[in-house]
Amino acid sequence: MKKEPFVSNEKLQEIVKQFPTPFHLYDEKGIRENAKAVKEAFAWNKGFKEYFAVKATPNPFLLNILKEYGCGCDCSSMTELMLADALHFQGEDIMFSSNDTPAEEFVYADKIGAIINLDDFTHIDFLEKTIGHIPETISCRFNPGGLFKISNSIMDNPGDAKYGFTKEQLFEGFKILKEKGARYFGVHAFLASNTVTNDYYPTLAKTLFEVVVELKKETGCDIRFINLSGGVGIPYKPDQEPNDIRAIGEGVKKVFEEVLVPAGLGDVAIYTEMGRFMLGPYGCLVTKAIHEKNTYKNYIGCDACAVNLMRPAMYGAYHHITVMGKENDVCDHTYDITGSLCENNDKFAIDRRLPKIDIGDLLVIHDAGAHGFSMGYNYNGKLRSAEILLKEDGSAELIRRAETPRDYFATFDCFDILKDMKC
């Protein structure tokens, strides 16, 4: 399957005249169509809500688009909670799923009425001591341990993850929380990352649904929602078949009707917390070829680097690359596509077959709409790039400006470095 950019070369040439590379570009039309499809796929569940994982793409313009489709926010830190609150996401439209949580973050989450999703059994006492009570609505994260499999394929190793309650802790935790005043309960689990299979959510759902039936029977707790979290992935490689969210929704519905409905739990709401699936394919990193180096290998140096998209450097992750204007040319050259960091892993691609690249060519690095800009950093004094929204009408809107040296030095309050700096 051919991977094509959501922006044409002609349009991109217009945009770069207004905004210098590198920058992250987002596709409003694609985002809206996908959010609508997710909402429709789970419309069978009266209480369904997608809590977008803010960590994936913490941009207020994009969060406001998702809000139009009924999405809430899944937050994992104080600043993410503050962002959601500032955008007027209301109370239980915010899910606070954190781990190793500082006390002040629990205090703030409780203050704005967010649903707190506890990561550990010991956090029950910690939360009560911190905020002085147990919230009326509470959620707990479940980790079944062992290996997580679909059919005979190992998808991930939850037993090696730092997150969640064991099954025994979950049951005991619910009893304690109920005694301490909690009235409404939720269960959450995340067992595999970036799965490209329509079977992941239904398989996870079956595991959670069966646990919830046991929980209800043993504890008598009023379980109001089951949070399938994230893990629904995207096809980074051209030969991967994309997930079908409608088929996934139908798969979860089937298990819901088989397990929960007969147990009298047909009113339980289904929640999701997708970041990658919601925005990943609808963002790209646009960069320009500025150097060519031929030594033991052939290198193309770009004006972007790992601070703009660190997944390839951090995980060895594949991101497809299109040389704009040469989409139909023969891929008869082999390159490493690099940035300028003083690290040899600062490469967007290694031994990638591409058309001949000339200095000044624009490269689109696909599927950077989630965990792209948000994982940026300032190593080597590099500055994070701008974010731009390609609107449905074809115009381009700056939704986050690029950092400047003044931003980089702004936290040096005790050292007057900015006084004579021309920036």
Side-chain angles (χ1 to χ4, degrees):
M1 185 176 70
K2 188 175 181 181
K3 248 187 185 307
E4 297 181 349
F6 57 76
V7 61
S8 69
N9 183 46
E10 292 74 21
K11 175 56 66 175
L12 197 56
Q13 295 294 342
E14 289 179 21
I15 295 172
V16 298
K17 290 176 182 176
Q18 185 179 3
F19 304 107
T21 57
F23 55 77
H24 285 264
L25 183 68
Y26 302 96
D27 175 22
E28 181 182 12
K29 183 174 184 290
I31 292 169
R32 288 186 179 279
E33 289 176 350
N34 190 54
K36 182 172 179 286
V38 169
K39 186 175 181 179
E40 291 173 352
F42 288 90
W44 55 267
N45 182 261
K46 185 177 178 181
F48 173 76
K49 182 176 282 291
E50 157 61 21
Y51 286 85
F52 174 70
V54 175
K55 67 178 77 66
T57 321
N59 187 292
F61 290 83
L62 304 179
L63 292 176
N64 274 334
I65 290 174
L66 296 177
K67 189 179 184 183
E68 291 180 35
Y69 296 87
C71 295
C73 288
D74 169 56
C75 300
S76 59
S77 69
M78 175 76 85
T79 49
E80 290 181 359
L81 287 168
M82 292 171 70
L83 176 58
D85 186 47
L87 293 174
H88 306 295
F89 285 89
Q90 300 294 319
E92 293 192 358
D93 287 338
I94 304 171
M95 185 75 62
F96 183 47
S97 299
S98 62
N99 68 95
D100 195 21
T101 310
E104 59 269 21
E105 297 191 2
F106 276 141
V107 170
Y108 189 80
D110 182 62
K111 176 184 174 183
I112 65 175
I115 298 173
I116 293 174
N117 183 33
L118 294 175
D119 179 67
D120 183 62
F121 182 80
T122 65
H123 290 181
I124 297 172
D125 283 341
F126 183 78
L127 177 67
E128 185 177 35
K129 290 174 183 176
T130 297
I131 67 175
H133 66 281
I134 292 295
E136 186 177 71
T137 298
I138 195 79
S139 177
C140 295
R141 181 167 183 168
F142 171 51
N143 184 336
L147 298 174
F148 178 68
K149 298 180 179 181
I150 295 178
S151 298
N152 292 319
S153 299
I154 296 174
M155 304 301 292
D156 218 322
N157 183 6
D160 198 39
K162 67 175 182 175
Y163 310 107
F165 291 56
T166 67
K167 185 173 181 179
E168 292 75 16
Q169 290 173 338
L170 185 69
F171 278 64
E172 183 64 20
F174 267 49
K175 292 174 184 175
I176 293 170
L177 287 164
K178 186 179 180 182
E179 289 172 1
K180 291 179 178 292
R183 295 182 60 192
Y184 309 118
F185 295 80
V187 179
H188 170 287
F190 178 91
L191 302 187
S193 179
N194 193 38
T195 62
V196 189
T197 167
N198 295 333
D199 294 331
Y200 170 61
Y201 258 4
T203 303
L204 169 62
K206 187 173 190 297
T207 298
L208 281 180
F209 293 172
E210 290 174 347
V211 167
V212 164
V213 170
E214 289 184 59
L215 268 173
K216 175 69 175 178
K217 183 177 180 181
E218 184 169 322
T219 68
C221 290
D222 186 354
I223 300 170
R224 292 292 179 93
F225 63 86
I226 296 171
N227 192 335
L228 302 180
S229 187
V232 178
I234 61 174
Y236 285 99
K237 296 182 178 180
D239 60 353
Q240 291 179 300
E241 187 71 25
N243 283 321
D244 181 344
I245 196 63
R246 289 181 171 82
I248 291 171
E250 281 299 311
V252 174
K253 179 183 179 183
K254 182 174 183 292
V255 181
F256 186 95
E257 292 175 345
E258 289 174 352
V259 179
L260 291 184
V261 173
L265 293 167
D267 291 333
V268 170
I270 300 299
Y271 295 163
T272 57
E273 290 173 355
M274 296 181 284
R276 196 188 314 266
F277 184 82
M278 296 300 292
L279 287 189
Y282 312 107
C284 63
L285 176 61
V286 179
T287 183
K288 184 181 293 183
I290 59 173
H291 289 288
E292 181 174 2
K293 179 176 181 175
N294 300 296
T295 52
Y296 304 104
K297 302 182 76 173
N298 297 321
Y299 300 93
I300 294 294
C302 301
D303 58 4
C305 60
V307 305
N308 307 110
L309 178 64
M310 73 181 298
R311 294 188 72 255
M314 186 174 185
Y315 304 120
Y318 180 96
H319 281 261
H320 198 66
I321 296 175
T322 295
V323 184
M324 299 303 286
K326 299 180 179 180
E327 295 89 342
N328 297 316
D329 289 9
V330 178
C331 295
D332 55 0
H333 285 63
T334 301
Y335 297 111
D336 281 14
I337 308 298
T338 76
S340 59
L341 290 186
C342 300
E343 296 290 341
N344 196 45
N345 68 348
D346 181 22
K347 297 178 179 180
F348 296 115
I350 297 173
D351 295 329
R352 185 73 60 87
R353 297 288 287 177
L354 292 165
K356 183 181 185 304
I357 298 175
D358 297 302
I359 302 304
D361 280 348
L362 294 176
L363 308 183
V364 163
I365 303 178
H366 292 247
D367 301 315
H371 310 289
F373 179 94
S374 64
M375 294 179 75
Y377 55 109
N378 290 120
Y379 181 58
N380 276 186
K382 295 294 185 179
L383 304 174
R384 280 170 283 204
S385 51
E387 292 183 293
I388 296 163
L389 181 63
L390 178 61
K391 298 177 72 67
E392 288 186 292
D393 64 8
S395 63
E397 180 182 2
L398 183 68
I399 58 174
R400 190 194 303 262
R401 65 167 174 81
E403 287 183 336
T404 67
R406 184 170 289 276
D407 295 317
Y408 181 81
F409 292 114
T411 53
F412 291 109
D413 293 334
C414 59
F415 184 64
D416 195 12
I417 197 170
L418 293 172
K419 184 173 65 176
D420 299 317
M421 186 173 289
K422 295 178 180 179
C423 61

